[in-house]
């Protein structure tokens, strides 16, 4: 196996294990903090962090399978389905969501961690898992962006996929609130209705901005490398 293939395998197993451990072993008593509540039996699926970790696990699994049976050529004559999936998931979801989850989590954490990851959770949610879910998601996806070529889809298509995903999650947390009477994230408890609207619009704008950043960064990296190759 090549180094890239081994890295993809490690990343996939790393995120699968993180999701498995979180789902099966992280049990926060509801009397310790209400974030441990079932929230209408939604379990870990109430958190965007868990959605994103699952997405990263699936994405890097696809990358690994593509290494084995697909192709990593810059301009292959025939693009296999597994390569098409890989090239669509990163720009549309994997990159913007990983950066969104990581940046928003740590930004709120450093301002007031009680609004996103209260201290009461420290005894139940290990530090290493916190970094798997909120730090490594950014590190691995940036490594992938810098080491593997992909052609970005049209901006209209990419932003449409991302926006639909974010809106689905937004509807989901409102469904949970309707059934449980509690917001998934403590920060939503301290915002009144107008401020929640501003907050949600701002987050949607941030996700769109991160998509564009990924698109620009990909173009800068691979156009530059293509120029160097042609010059040689």
């Amino acid at each position: 196996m090549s180094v890239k293939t081994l890295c993809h395998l490690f990343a996939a197993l790393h995120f699968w294990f993180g999701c498995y451990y979180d789902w099966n072993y992280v049990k926060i008593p509801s009397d310790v903090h209400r974030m441990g509540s079932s929230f209408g039996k939604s379990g870990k699926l109430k958190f965007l962090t868990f959605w994103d970790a699952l997405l990263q696990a699936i994405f890097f699994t696809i990358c690994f399978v593509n290494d084995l049976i697909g192709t990593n050529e810059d301009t292959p004559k025939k693009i296999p389905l597994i390569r098409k999936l890989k090239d669509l998931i990163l720009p549309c979801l994997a990159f913007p969501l990983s950066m969104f989850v990581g940046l928003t989590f740590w930004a709120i954490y450093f301002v007031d961690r009680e609004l996103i990851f209260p201290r009461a959770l420290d005894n139940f949610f290990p530090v290493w898992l916190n970094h798997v879910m909120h730090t490594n998601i950014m590190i691995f996806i940036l490594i992938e962006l810098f080491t593997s070529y992909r052609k970005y889809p049209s901006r209209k298509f990419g932003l449409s996929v991302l926006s639909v995903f974010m809106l689905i999650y937004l509807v989901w947390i409102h469904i949970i609130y309707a059934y449980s009477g509690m917001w998934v994230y403590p920060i939503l408890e301290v915002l009144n209705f107008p401020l929640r609207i501003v907050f949600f619009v701002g987050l949607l704008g941030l996700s769109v901005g991160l998509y564009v950043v990924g698109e620009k960064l990909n173009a800068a990296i691979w156009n530059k490398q293509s120029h160097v190759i042609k010059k040689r």
Side-chain angles (χ1 to χ4, degrees):
M1 287 187 187
S2 68
V3 173
K4 181 182 289 188
T5 303
L6 289 174
C7 287
H8 285 155
L9 177 60
F10 175 78
L13 293 175
H14 160 274
F15 286 118
W16 282 121
F17 179 74
C19 292
Y20 170 80
Y21 187 94
D22 189 13
W23 186 273
N24 290 284
Y25 296 104
V26 177
K27 308 294 182 183
I28 301 169
S30 57
D31 60 335
V32 171
H33 198 279
R34 56 189 174 75
M35 286 183 75
S37 170
S38 61
F39 283 81
K41 307 302 180 182
S42 59
K44 306 295 180 179
L45 293 175
K46 59 182 173 282
F47 297 117
L48 183 60
T49 294
F50 196 83
W51 284 34
D52 180 61
L54 280 176
L55 174 67
Q56 302 303 321
I58 293 169
F59 171 70
F60 282 104
T61 300
I62 289 173
C63 290
F64 174 68
V65 174
N66 177 71
D67 292 339
L68 298 179
I69 64 173
T71 177
N72 286 306
E73 294 179 18
D74 290 0
T75 54
K77 293 180 180 179
K78 185 178 180 180
I79 304 177
L81 177 60
I82 192 73
R83 170 64 184 274
K84 291 179 180 178
L85 285 174
K86 175 188 173 184
D87 286 356
L88 283 177
I89 293 176
L90 183 140
C92 297
L93 294 173
F95 179 84
L97 280 177
S98 64
M99 301 306 292
F100 177 88
V101 169
L103 291 174
T104 54
F105 175 85
W106 289 114
I108 297 173
Y109 184 97
F110 286 120
V111 171
D112 184 353
R113 66 168 296 183
E114 296 300 315
L115 297 176
I116 192 73
F117 194 82
R119 288 179 176 81
L121 307 185
D122 287 348
N123 292 329
F124 304 93
F125 201 95
V127 173
W128 66 264
L129 184 59
N130 190 13
H131 285 297
V132 168
M133 297 296 196
H134 301 114
T135 306
N136 296 358
I137 52 172
M138 296 186 289
I139 294 172
F140 279 105
I141 208 66
L142 283 171
I143 292 173
E144 177 65 19
L145 188 74
F146 275 84
T147 58
S148 295
Y149 172 84
R150 91 265 327 132
K151 181 180 179 181
Y152 258 63
S154 69
R155 185 176 293 183
K156 180 179 179 181
F157 177 83
L159 287 178
S160 295
V161 173
L162 176 61
S163 298
V164 167
F165 183 94
M166 297 298 285
L167 288 173
I168 288 173
Y169 183 73
L170 182 60
V171 170
W172 173 234
I173 63 173
H174 279 82
I175 291 174
I176 293 173
Y177 177 76
Y179 275 90
S180 68
M182 292 184 290
W183 290 107
V184 170
Y185 298 104
I187 190 173
L188 297 176
E189 296 283 358
V190 302
L191 299 177
N192 58 29
F193 180 72
L195 287 178
R196 280 201 301 272
I197 296 297
V198 172
F199 182 70
F200 289 137
V201 171
L203 292 181
L204 182 59
L206 174 61
S207 66
V208 170
L210 289 171
Y211 176 91
V212 175
V213 168
E215 180 185 63
K216 298 292 187 183
L217 192 57
N218 181 74
I221 295 167
W222 293 103
N223 284 348
K224 180 179 179 180
Q225 291 196 14
S226 297
H227 177 72
V228 171
I229 291 172
K230 289 178 182 179
K231 192 173 181 179
R232 287 178 181 174

